[in-house]
Amino acid sequence: ELNELNEFNADDQLAFRSIETALKKAAPAAVAAHNLPGVRYYAEVFFTLAARSYPCVVTDVAIPALRSPDVKPLQAASWILVAAGRVVRDKKNEPTSYGSSGRGSKPPGPSHPVRGSSADRRDAEKNVELARETLSAVAPWSLAHNHSLRVFAQLATHALLDAFGVDAFEAGPSTGTTEKDAGQPSDPSDPSPSPGADSSSPGADSSSLSSSGSMLW
């Protein structure tokens, strides 16, 4: 029986690594594809939900892409939604006490067991660390010249700060990044982006923002 259990665990680990590898290969190609907004929306939702079980979608794909100087605005906007959406969703569903969880939680049962406080605490700490990395990668895009990308970055930054609180992002131990350092101008006299820097209009993104925000966050 012990050997069968070990073989079962080995098969599970192999399947997990296989799915991780498939996601890391598929995600960049799916986001880079030139699809209609509705099709891109489904890809963003899929990878956001996949990242909840496989964080490599955020740590190994989304965050490195956002830190790359060669990423295209449309792709960066999608990675912002995926990374911030995953982190904020996990925060909202964190258990607040023994057997209780945040907004949208389900009662304990066979598929939703009650977890110990130590395991919940470790998961919460990992999510805070990931939130800090996500904010440091997302916040600089809030000053981008591209209107759509800038608005998505500002929306994601607000969602992260609202979910975790400002204190969670002050002097993070892993990155040393503060909210002020993460792309926000230190001097109020610094010039802001020109309103005419791009030709996009706010109305063009309103429906996309409302649908993406309600689904991903």
Side-chain angles (χ1 to χ4, degrees):
E1 293 181 0
L2 183 59
N3 290 335
E4 291 179 358
L5 180 60
N6 290 335
E7 290 178 2
F8 179 77
N9 291 335
D11 290 342
D12 279 353
Q13 293 176 2
L14 180 61
F16 185 89
R17 288 194 295 269
S18 298
I19 295 174
E20 271 194 334
T21 302
L23 285 171
K24 287 192 286 187
K25 288 183 178 180
V31 171
H34 293 283
N35 289 317
L36 294 173
V39 178
R40 176 171 291 273
Y41 167 73
Y42 283 112
E44 292 163 351
V45 172
F46 171 80
F47 287 113
T48 300
L49 298 179
R52 299 193 64 191
S53 297
Y54 301 92
C56 64
V57 175
V58 174
T59 58
D60 297 346
V61 183
I63 290 178
L66 289 171
R67 289 175 175 167
S68 171
D70 300 321
V71 66
K72 295 181 179 179
L74 191 61
Q75 297 173 27
S78 291
W79 291 130
I80 286 172
L81 289 173
V82 170
R86 187 274 184 190
V87 173
V88 172
R89 271 177 169 266
D90 273 17
K91 177 62 177 177
K92 288 180 178 179
N93 289 296
E94 279 180 3
T96 55
S97 61
Y98 294 100
S100 64
S101 56
R103 188 179 357 173
S105 62
K106 296 184 179 180
S111 59
H112 301 278
V114 177
R115 304 181 61 191
S117 60
S118 59
D120 292 333
R121 194 157 46 243
R122 285 195 299 271
D123 288 346
E125 290 172 355
K126 289 180 181 179
N127 202 36
V128 170
E129 290 301 314
L130 185 56
R132 288 170 177 154
E133 293 184 28
T134 300
L135 182 66
S136 68
V138 168
W141 293 104
S142 63
L143 300 177
H145 286 291
N146 182 278
H147 171 76
S148 298
L149 175 56
R150 181 172 69 247
V151 172
F152 276 115
Q154 292 169 353
L155 179 63
T157 299
H158 177 272
L160 287 165
L161 294 174
D162 183 62
F164 289 87
V166 177
D167 292 344
F169 298 99
E170 292 184 349
S174 62
T175 61
T177 304
T178 64
E179 180 195 0
K180 182 177 179 181
D181 295 331
Q184 300 295 336
S186 57
D187 186 351
S189 63
D190 287 348
S192 58
S194 171
D198 56 75
S199 58
S200 303
S201 62
D205 302 301
S206 59
S207 60
S208 177
L209 282 173
S210 61
S211 61
S212 298
S214 61
M215 182 61 189
L216 299 180
W217 301 325

